[in-house]
Structure formats: C-alpha cells, structure tokens
C-alpha cells in the first residue's frame, strides 16, 4: 500500500474558501465544505504534514511533542502568583494542530457550560443547540445514543486494558465517596471514569486523520503545509485575500466567498492584529495601520490551571506505559454547594512534575503522579503583540490564580489527591508521598500550588463570540464589522467550558461549516 501523501497541486489565483490553520476547527471546516458543496478550498498550515511520524502516532509518546518541531514554543509570562516561573504552552504546529500533539482526551464538559455561552451573549449556542454537532464529530465505540454519535470522523474509545494505577483511581474515588460513572460524556460528568480517548488500534486519531486524510485526493482541496499566513487583505470592508510565506517567498491568494481563521487562540488574534484588526490603541503602539477597530481582539484569554503534579512513591515498578500514560479521570466539586463539578484529575504513569517541583523534591526511583486542576477557573488574561514583525514576540498572560477562589479550589484539589493516594485501592502501589513529601498545612499547599501551577493547554477566548464592545465575532462566527471573515477555533469561546478544548473546538468547526454552507 503506497504511503499517504498530501498531493502537490498548482496554486490558483483564487479559491472559494481559504482556511487558515488546520487544527481541530480548521480540519472540520475544510472537510464539511468539501463534502457539502462544489467549492474549491485552500488550507494553509504553518506546520508540516505530520503523516507517518512515529512519535505523533504513538499515544505513549505525546509529552515530548511539546517543545519539539511540532510545537510553536509559546510561553505564559511569569507573575509573582506563580512564583516568577515561565510556563510553556504546547500548541500544535502540524497538520491536525494540537490534536496531533495533545493527550488525546475527548471530553465536552457539562451541558450548563454551553447554556452559559448563550447567557454570555452567544445566542443559539445552548447545549441543545450544540449537541447535534458534538454527535456529528463522533465515532463512539459504544454506538449512537441520545448524547453520543457514531460514524463521525473522530474515533473515540476507552482503554481496553487500563494501567493498574489508572484503575486504582476508580476504586480510590469510590473510597472517597466520589461516584464511578460509565461515561464522562454521558448524562452526568461528575465522578470517576475511564477516559474517552482519540486512540484506536494503539494509534492517535487526530483531526487530520479523521477529517482530512479521507479527502486528500479530492481535486477541489489544496493543502499547503510549512506555509505561514502573515496578513489578511481587506478590500472595501471585505476580507478578500491572504498573504503567506512559503519557502521564504511572499505570495497572495484571493478568496471569492470567504476566509476562515482556525489558527487558535494565540495566532488568530495575532493575524488579525497584524492585518490591522484589533484594539486601536494596541495597533497604534505597534505602528500598524488600523483597518478595523475591535477592542476585544486578544482580550478575555482563559485557560485551566493545572497542578502538575502530586507525585507518589510506588511500591513496585510501573511497567510499560499504556494508552496515553493516563487512562482515567475524576470530575468532582470543591464545594457541595456548587451546581456542577469544578475540579478535574487524572493519573500519570510516571513523574509529571513541573520543573520547579523537580528542583525542590527528590523524585528518584519508581513514582507515579496525579495531575489535578480547576475546570471552572475565573481568572482572565490577555495576549498582545510585542512586535509588528511576522513571527515576532508576543506576551501571553492567563493571570493564573488572580481570582482568590481559583487558588482556594486548587488547594482542595491537592488535599483530595493526597487523600486519594492513601486509600485502600492504592494499597498495592502507594509507597509514600514524594511531592509534596508529606501532608501540608493550607499555607504550605498554597506555596506548592504556586510552584506547581501549569497549563492544561486550553488557551481560549481571545476573539470571543457575543454582543457588546468586547465581542469579536457574532453568533454565526463572523468577525464583526467585516464581510467574508469567519473564525472557527478556541478563540471564539466566550467562557471556557469545564473540559479539554479539542471536543468543543471540533464542534465549533462543524457549526462554522454549516453557517458558511447555509449562507452560500
């Protein structure tokens, strides 16, 4: 069987649609535009094809993909709240985007997350509105139900043989009174469960594999990899073209129907600002000509803070890594008074501590970890350009722990993980505390959280959907004040949902395509 390849096609002066960025949203848009119309589609991706790369295909090898050739290499800026540390933010720079380098978790959060989007001004984005699009994405191993889809582009499976430390999380949760549930994407997400994973037959199932690979031979689809979009061309209030650099040369291509930005919550606002679309004061600071004033571009940045991690000594060698190195999840409440689970945890078959924690504690020998974080974080930040040069420096600031309630919840998360590892279900594995090395006071846990705070890689919200002066796109994902320009990535999320963002961004891509096709 010949190796899968991206066909090399002549580049035309114009296409019906140009999709910039081939991540979770962009792959979905491109596929549905090809399937649902006779349009020509050009996809521009800054990264390489990523096809047949063993470390991408192997679910056990995902962690080193951060800071590799397949990662943009972005950082969150330090603050005193995280003890002056710089936090890396892995973002996929490859066909499939972050779905090609992430932990392969498929999780859509709680229905009220999307009802909250509608309440924030995103009319028509309640859970009942978005559920059909979540289902359309899915090929769930248990088949179609009222809440799950089958036959869609993305294969989703549970582990057939979870690692014992993952199974111990299920039993340990029950020991603590946290329910064990069948499916975190089912009727309730509160409890412990086997993870939903984009893994099948031992290999990663990325958005590129699910959405693009089946249509690579379609003559109406052209994919440019290793190609960086640098500017949008605006003519008479319409986005009419995209400038890009390929092999060191600048080119431009026109879009006769529309341009779709799917570069993610860092590079979509970057491209808008480089094109003169953004907060006028920011554009003036960089001497960029203002084409359209939109104050919300780059604002409203949200991400889930992750305590990485609580590390425990193991009574025995862990053996070969299974699945994605995890295999189970817990969603639970930091307070019984909350309407939904706000905390999330997962096992790690080894040491997953942040660099500062590795400096402060002896983590030698056989260890396992539990990462825990906050999925209903309230802290909000921003991203801004520090240079008008393409590919220049950016400042990315999530303002982790700025809201006192976020820190309070993470203290409870750490306390719960320390209790969890000491339950009877972990008796065969738990050989003592490694980091923290003992049970801590609240004040000590606060400092531990500041040293261990990291990212779930869920950066979102920087071109938020809604109404009002800060809204960048309307409820049909159109950039306000300009024709022919749509955004389909995590930047449009108005309020971060209580989940990994791959699933909601794929859903957003599915909806974006529907909006475009219905308007054509």
């Amino acid at each position: 069987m010949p190796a899968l390849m991206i066909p090399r096609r002549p580049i035309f002066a114009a296409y019906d649609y140009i999709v910039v960025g081939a991540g979770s949203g962009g792959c979905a848009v491109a596929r549905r535009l090809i399937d649902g119309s006779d349009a020509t589609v050009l996809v521009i991706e800054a990264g390489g094809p990523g096809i047949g790369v063993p470390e991408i295909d192997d679910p056990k090898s995902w962690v080193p993909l951060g800071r590799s050739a397949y990662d943009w290499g972005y950082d969150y800026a330090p603050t005193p709240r995280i003890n002056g540390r710089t936090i890396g933010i892995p973002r996929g720079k490859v066909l499939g985007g972050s779905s090609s380098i992430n932990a392969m978790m498929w999780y859509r959060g709680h229905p009220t997350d999307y009802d909250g989007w509608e309440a924030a001004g995103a009319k028509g984005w309640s859970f009942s509105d978005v559920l059909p699009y979540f289902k359309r994405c899915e090929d769930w191993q248990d088949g179609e139900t009222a809440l799950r889809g089958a036959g869609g582009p993305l294969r989703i499976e549970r582990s057939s043989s979870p690692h014992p430390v993952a199974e111990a999380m299920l039993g340990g949760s029950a020991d603590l009174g946290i329910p064990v549930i069948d499916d975190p994407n089912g009727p309730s997400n509160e409890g412990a469960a086997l993870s939903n994973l984009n893994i099948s037959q031992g290999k990663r199932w990325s958005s590129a594999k699910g959405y693009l690979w089946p249509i690579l031979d379609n003559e109406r689809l052209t994919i440019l990899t290793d190609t960086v979009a640098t500017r949008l061309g605006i003519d008479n209030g319409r986005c009419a073209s995209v400038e890009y650099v390929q092999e060191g040369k600048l080119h431009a291509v026109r879009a006769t129907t529309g341009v779709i930005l799917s570069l993610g919550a860092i590079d979509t606002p970057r491209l808008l600002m480089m094109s003169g679309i953004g907060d006028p004061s920011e554009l003036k600071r960089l001497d960029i000509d203002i084409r359209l004033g939109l104050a919300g571009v780059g604002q409203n940045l949200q991400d889930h803070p992750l305590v990485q991690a609580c590390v425990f000594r193991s009574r025995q060698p862990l053996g070969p890594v299974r699945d994605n190195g995890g295999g189970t999840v817990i969603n639970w409440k930091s307070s019984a008074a909350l309407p939904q689970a706000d905390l999330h945890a997962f096992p790690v078959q080894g040491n997953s501590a942040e660099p500062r924690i590795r400096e402060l504690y002896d983590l030698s020998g056989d260890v396992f970890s539990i990462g825990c974080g906050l999925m209903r974080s309230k802290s909000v930040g921003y991203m801004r350009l520090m240079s008008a040069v393409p590919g220049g420096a950016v400042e990315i600031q999530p303002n982790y722990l700025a809201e006192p309630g976020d820190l309070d919840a993470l203290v409870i998360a750490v306390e719960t993980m320390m209790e969890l590892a000491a339950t009877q279900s972990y008796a065969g594995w738990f050989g003592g505390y490694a980091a923290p090395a003992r049970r801590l006071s609240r004040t000590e846990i606060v400092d531990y959280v500041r040293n261990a705070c990291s990212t779930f890689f869920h950066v979102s919200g920087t071109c938020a959907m809604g109404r009002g002066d800060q809204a960048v796109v309307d409820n049909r994902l159109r950039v306000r004040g300009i024709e022919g320009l749509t955004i389909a990535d995590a930047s449009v999320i108005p309020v971060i949902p209580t989940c990994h963002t791959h699933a909601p961004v794929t859903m957003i891509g599915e909806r974006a395509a529907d909006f475009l096709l219905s308007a054509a």
Side-chain angles (χ1 to χ4, degrees), residues 449-467:
V449 168
R450 296 194 192 283
N451 281 324
C453 185
S454 184
T455 171
F456 273 98
F457 328 141
H458 297 164
V459 58
S460 57
T462 50
C463 296
M465 172 172 41
R467 299 186 295 267

Side-chain angles (χ1 to χ4, degrees), residues 46-72:
I51 297 173
V53 178
E55 56 266 42
I56 291 177
D57 291 341
D58 182 2
K60 299 185 295 295
S61 301
W62 72 271
V63 173
L65 292 171
R67 289 297 192 262
S68 75
Y70 307 103
D71 173 34
W72 281 94

Side-chain angles (χ1 to χ4, degrees), residues 111-126:
T112 57
D113 295 339
Y114 305 96
D115 297 339
W117 289 12
E118 185 159 71
K123 183 176 175 56
W125 287 80
S126 70

